[in-house]
Amino acid sequence: MDVEQIYKDSSALLEGHFLLSSGNHSQFYLQSAKVLEDPKTAKLLAEALAQQIKDSGIEFDAVCSPALGGLIAGFALATAVDKRFIFAERVEKQMTIRRGFEVQKGEKYIVCEDIITTGGSALEAAAQIEAMGGKVVAYAALANRGFCSRVGSDREAKENCKLPLDKPLFALDDFTFEMYAPEDCPLCKEGKSEAYKPGSRGN
Ligand code: ZN
């Protein structure tokens, strides 16, 4: 499965001159929601991710996603593995599990995102599950931005990966792009374009 091609075909992998929320510049940007716009593509990707998880032999009872980004990927994964799905959401900046969702003592969870960047939101969702008595056994995402190390890839986790190293991260592919401080940006040096925030031009 050529995950990168699927992202390109869905206009989920954009090429240009982007201003990231970190303030850095990049030639590429992942607009993850776009790849899930077509339910058939979402199903295809989730089934491939489910297969990776099944092949690992890891046992779990349910999938939990941090809202908003992880919802569709997590639901599609839960459908593919035929497990229960719950989500965590931010309430006044604090990740919370509410809406009547229950976590049983010892219940095993996979925390699923659409894309793992440093894994901050996934880790916060995991902390909530564990505070409620559950156990997080693994993390999953359709795409890994390359800061964390996924099962099946020899890329090592970088310092800014927040996910625990003793839990597997399942993801379909690594999307590792160079990021530049504005003063070092080769695209700025070319002088042909200015960096812009993805989404600010209607995309
Ligand atoms: Zn630039």
Side-chain angles (χ1 to χ4, degrees), residues 3-167:
V3 178
E4 190 176 317
Q5 193 58 50
I6 292 172
Y7 271 70
K8 281 182 179 160
D9 292 345
S10 310
S11 304
L13 176 55
L14 307 176
E15 192 168 356
H17 185 185
F18 302 108
L19 172 60
L20 307 176
S21 51
S22 60
N24 290 326
H25 293 188
S26 172
Q27 190 180 355
F28 298 97
Y29 186 77
L30 272 184
Q31 191 67 275
S32 299
K34 282 290 287 175
V35 82
L36 301 169
E37 196 176 40
D38 181 349
K40 286 192 289 295
T41 308
K43 185 169 183 273
L44 186 78
L45 293 171
E47 282 172 353
L49 187 59
Q51 192 59 50
Q52 253 195 47
I53 296 168
K54 278 179 199 158
D55 290 347
S56 78
I58 206 161
E59 286 183 14
F60 63 104
D61 304 302
V63 177
C64 177
S65 288
L68 191 66
L71 289 183
I72 299 168
F75 182 78
L77 176 64
T79 305
V81 294
D82 195 20
K83 304 277 188 195
R84 200 161 66 87
F85 174 72
I86 68 169
F87 61 87
E89 61 199 297
R90 248 178 241 289
V91 180
E92 288 167 3
K93 294 186 179 171
Q94 170 65 42
M95 195 65 85
T96 316
I97 293 172
R98 54 200 300 218
R99 299 182 193 256
F101 289 140
E102 285 177 14
V103 173
Q104 307 300 329
K105 192 164 166 43
E107 201 174 26
K108 295 186 182 121
Y109 281 82
I110 288 186
V111 174
C112 182
E113 272 277 25
D114 53 351
I115 176 165
I116 289 284
T117 307
T118 60
S121 298
L123 190 67
E124 286 176 66
Q128 285 310 301
I129 290 165
E130 299 202 326
M132 291 168 82
K135 189 170 162 37
V136 173
V137 293
Y139 294 85
L142 300 177
N144 176 33
R145 191 58 185 72
F147 301 112
C148 296
S149 176
R150 71 179 174 93
V151 174
S153 169
D154 51 14
R155 281 180 197 281
E156 285 180 20
K158 303 239 166 71
E159 250 175 39
N160 54 358
C161 176
K162 295 187 176 121
L163 297 182
L165 297 173
D166 61 342
K167 305 265 170 78

Side-chain angles (χ1 to χ4, degrees), residues 17 25 182 185 187-188 195:
H17 185 185
H25 293 188
C185 175
L187 299 163
C188 283

